[in-house]
Amino acid sequence: MPEQTLIDRPAPSRLVLGAAALVVLLGTLALVGWALGIDSLTRVVPGLASMKPNTALCMVLAGAALAGLGRTTGRRLGVTVVAGMLLAIALASLVQDLT
């Protein structure tokens, strides 16, 4: 059975993939902002605290995992690997904050 295109998929699947794309986009913009020194790209809302690089990286990884879950074909191993990377970054950030 051929893989469905985005338009052929049910609405919940399109919603999941759209949310995943938005999360990846926001995280990528924040990483680009940090890399190029553009402060406005590191803030979701002007005037609030900037998004840290590890948070932006976690957003990109979480969006990628969400996109993997939204696919109709099995991608569980890839999603599990990405979830493990997210957990490792989160634990490293927690250790950094506690020490």
Side-chain angles (χ1 to χ4, degrees), residues 4-88:
Q4 296 174 329
T5 64
L6 185 59
I7 295 172
D8 296 334
R9 293 178 189 211
S13 180
R14 288 191 303 239
L15 182 63
V16 167
L17 291 174
L22 180 62
V23 170
V24 169
L25 177 66
L26 287 174
T28 302
L29 285 174
L31 286 173
V32 168
W34 276 103
L36 300 178
I38 304 171
D39 189 56
S40 61
L41 289 180
T42 63
R43 299 177 190 279
V44 176
V45 177
L48 294 181
S50 64
M51 185 183 304
K52 303 302 177 223
N54 56 343
T55 304
L57 178 61
C58 283
M59 284 185 70
V60 171
L61 291 173
L66 185 59
L69 290 176
R71 295 182 56 94
T72 55
T73 57
R75 299 274 191 256
R76 300 290 182 206
L77 179 61
V79 171
T80 303
V81 169
V82 172
M85 293 168 60
L86 279 165
L87 181 62

